[in-house]
Amino acid sequence: MDAPDAQLSDHGAWKAPDYNVLPGSHIPLLSQTKLDPDPDFKHNFARTAQWCADGSSALLQCENRSFQLFDA
């Protein structure tokens, strides 16, 4: 199975994708997220995150065994 043409260079080798990140754009940090308060877990934090393909949101799995959606 061949790779998509958009990811091949002129020599047939894989080429890294080109991201359009504007200067001064805000890249959110998960350490700065505000999780839903939980009185049973005063020190709740995000253990893992899975970002959507366009980077606009992430699904967080938290210490208190909940899943929370984070919109960037």
Side-chain angles (χ1 to χ4, degrees):
M1 179 179 266
D2 292 332
D5 291 336
Q7 299 218 351
L8 293 179
S9 69
D10 294 336
H11 303 290
W14 179 82
K15 185 176 109 180
D18 194 18
Y19 294 103
N20 184 13
V21 179
L22 300 174
S25 63
H26 174 69
I27 299 173
L29 300 175
L30 289 179
S31 63
Q32 297 174 349
T33 61
K34 300 289 185 198
L35 300 176
D36 294 337
D38 186 339
D40 296 329
F41 288 86
K42 293 182 181 180
H43 301 287
N44 192 25
F45 60 92
R47 289 176 116 350
T48 61
Q50 182 67 43
W51 289 93
C52 70
D54 67 358
S56 63
S57 62
L59 180 65
L60 308 176
Q61 187 267 322
C62 302
E63 176 67 11
N64 69 349
R65 299 184 183 116
S66 70
F67 289 97
Q68 297 185 29
L69 188 61
F70 170 69
D71 293 319

